[in-house]
Amino acid sequence: MLDNHKILFSNAALFFTGLTVMVAIIPALSNQNRNRPLPGAPALSKEARIGKGIYIANGCVACHTQQVRNIDMDRVWGERPGLAADYAANTRTDLWRNTATLMGTERTGPDLTNVGARQPGKDWNLVHLFNPRIVVKESVMPAYPWLFQRTKNPRKSDVVVNVPAAYLNEGETIIATKDALYLLAYLQSLKQAALPQSTAAPEFLYKKEKKESTAAGAAPALDGKALYAANCQSCHQENGEGLPGAFPPLRGSTVVTGADLEKYVDIIMNGYDARAEYGVMPPVGTNMNFTENEIAAIINHERTSWGNDGKKVAPEEVKKIIDLLKLKTE
């Protein structure tokens, strides 16, 4: 065999082919057959599939991951660690191209596994894509101005982006292109699917120790400032002044400092879209499964910050309103 190059290279080729089939192809087909998306995982819409291609083409995977690891520090990115089933729907891009690896390896920006639930708002996402510094001053994310158009005569069918006047020329309007809307559809589709009722969620490892109660039987107080920073600050800003033309201020707001607690809780739980000059607020409380304790902590922070002098509320008051709102929607 060593003296005949035809036999030598033929045997080497057969050995390499057989090894490839056994080590790579058969295990891959086996995994593909055994792994299925979770029952509650919706398929991507046509718009979201196109948006996924735009996400890949613009290199978003270089700075954003889509994997919730089973460690406590990843708890903020999802309700549970990621499973193989979460990625089972990532099939080949087409006949010639393999699956795009979207799990990522670096978090220069936040993880996007559950961003469709964490930050679903159309207005915020479009403003953020146009110029991230508008909503997050410290952001190092590049702007994507080519996904938008500047015009002085928008059509009725155009999607106008609520960009503050400071970022516009006189009489100018920013409208989203189809690519921007496709990318938005993909980002809004990124949600962790619920596990079947009979399946227990994997636990996050290295859990932080719970602080002891300050009084016998009393639960540890929640940090309203931290909850606000994680869920509200990107729109209403750290100083509570919001963004003119985009998101309303909480500083001096009659809703925040007023006596209508039902309206206040309703806005947090079910969102708000009654003022044309501002973007639509998504149902943050419902999306994030806020408890009455978390809502009360956020309200008390907002009512006592930035010069606001509102009355603090108890979780029991919030619980009654949440139950009442549920009855109204049933």
Side-chain angles (χ1 to χ4, degrees), residues 23 31-32 58 119 158 198 211 243 272 274 300 320 330:
V23 175
N31 286 336
Q32 185 173 312
N58 283 278
Q119 187 56 272
D158 289 335
S198 59
K211 295 181 179 179
L243 290 170
Y272 196 62
N300 290 333
K320 290 179 181 178
E330 290 178 354

Side-chain angles (χ1 to χ4, degrees), residues 35-114:
N35 290 331
R36 291 286 185 275
L38 292 169
L44 289 180
S45 65
K46 178 182 177 181
E47 291 77 13
R49 286 199 304 272
I50 299 173
K52 178 181 176 181
I54 295 170
Y55 179 92
I56 295 167
N58 283 278
C60 302
V61 70
C63 297
H64 294 285
T65 57
Q66 289 185 33
Q67 52 173 310
V68 181
R69 302 168 299 177
N70 62 335
I71 54 178
D72 192 72
M73 66 181 292
D74 274 19
R75 188 184 296 272
V76 67
W77 307 127
E79 298 180 2
R80 57 170 176 79
L83 303 170
D86 294 326
Y87 311 102
N90 286 340
T91 55
R92 294 186 68 87
T93 303
D94 53 41
L95 178 64
W96 307 108
R97 293 179 293 174
N98 202 350
T99 305
T101 303
L102 301 179
M103 292 178 67
T105 58
E106 181 179 340
R107 284 181 184 158
T108 303
D111 184 87
L112 301 182
T113 298
N114 204 38

Side-chain angles (χ1 to χ4, degrees), residues 9-328:
F9 286 108
S10 296
N11 286 339
L14 287 172
F15 178 76
F16 177 79
T17 302
L19 194 62
T20 301
V21 170
M22 293 176 62
V23 175
I25 297 177
I26 291 177
L29 291 174
S30 176
N31 286 336
Q32 185 173 312
N33 291 330
R34 285 188 288 114
N35 290 331
R36 291 286 185 275
L38 292 169
L44 289 180
S45 65
K46 178 182 177 181
E47 291 77 13
R49 286 199 304 272
I50 299 173
K52 178 181 176 181
I54 295 170
Y55 179 92
I56 295 167
N58 283 278
C60 302
V61 70
C63 297
H64 294 285
T65 57
Q66 289 185 33
Q67 52 173 310
V68 181
R69 302 168 299 177
N70 62 335
I71 54 178
D72 192 72
M73 66 181 292
D74 274 19
R75 188 184 296 272
V76 67
W77 307 127
E79 298 180 2
R80 57 170 176 79
L83 303 170
D86 294 326
Y87 311 102
N90 286 340
T91 55
R92 294 186 68 87
T93 303
D94 53 41
L95 178 64
W96 307 108
R97 293 179 293 174
N98 202 350
T99 305
T101 303
L102 301 179
M103 292 178 67
T105 58
E106 181 179 340
R107 284 181 184 158
T108 303
D111 184 87
L112 301 182
T113 298
N114 204 38
V115 72
R118 193 172 70 245
Q119 187 56 272
K122 178 189 75 174
D123 297 276
W124 187 92
N125 277 292
L126 291 176
V127 171
H128 184 248
L129 289 170
F130 176 73
N131 187 338
R133 259 69 58 194
I134 294 177
V135 289
V136 184
K137 293 180 181 179
E138 301 81 9
S139 177
V140 296
M141 173 178 160
Y144 293 87
W146 55 86
L147 296 176
F148 302 88
Q149 293 179 351
R150 295 175 181 267
T151 181
K152 292 187 177 181
N153 299 297
R155 297 169 297 182
K156 288 185 178 180
S157 59
D158 289 335
V159 176
V160 176
V161 184
N162 289 316
V163 175
Y167 295 85
L168 301 172
N169 298 320
E170 187 176 354
E172 191 176 56
T173 300
I174 303 298
I175 61 174
T177 64
K178 287 186 177 181
D179 282 353
L181 298 176
Y182 289 145
L183 181 54
L184 170 67
Y186 177 63
L187 294 173
Q188 290 177 325
S189 74
L190 295 177
K191 301 176 183 178
Q192 275 192 317
L195 295 176
Q197 292 183 352
S198 59
T199 305
E203 292 188 4
F204 286 97
L205 304 178
Y206 316 117
K207 293 182 179 179
K208 296 178 181 178
E209 294 182 2
K210 294 183 179 180
K211 295 181 179 179
E212 293 183 1
S213 301
T214 54
L222 292 172
D223 188 343
K225 183 177 181 180
L227 287 167
Y228 174 86
N231 300 282
C232 316
Q233 184 172 297
S234 59
C235 291
H236 298 293
Q237 303 299 294
E238 186 179 4
N239 57 13
E241 294 182 358
L243 290 170
F247 309 110
L250 301 182
R251 179 181 181 181
S253 168
T254 55
V255 174
V256 173
T257 58
D260 192 350
L261 185 59
E262 181 178 336
K263 181 179 182 180
Y264 199 170
V265 175
D266 188 19
I267 289 174
I268 293 175
M269 293 301 295
N270 299 315
Y272 196 62
D273 183 21
R275 300 180 67 176
E277 67 270 29
Y278 293 118
V280 178
M281 176 175 169
V284 178
T286 300
N287 290 340
M288 301 308 294
N289 295 316
F290 281 165
T291 65
E292 62 270 18
N293 295 295
E294 292 169 319
I295 294 174
I298 291 173
I299 288 176
N300 290 333
H301 169 70
E302 294 175 351
R303 283 189 164 184
T304 57
S305 301
W306 321 300
N308 290 342
D309 188 20
K311 177 186 175 183
K312 288 190 175 183
V313 299
E316 293 76 19
E317 297 177 78
V318 175
K319 179 69 165 60
K320 290 179 181 178
I321 294 175
I322 292 175
D323 292 339
L324 177 63
L325 293 174
K326 289 180 178 178
L327 287 174
K328 287 183 177 181

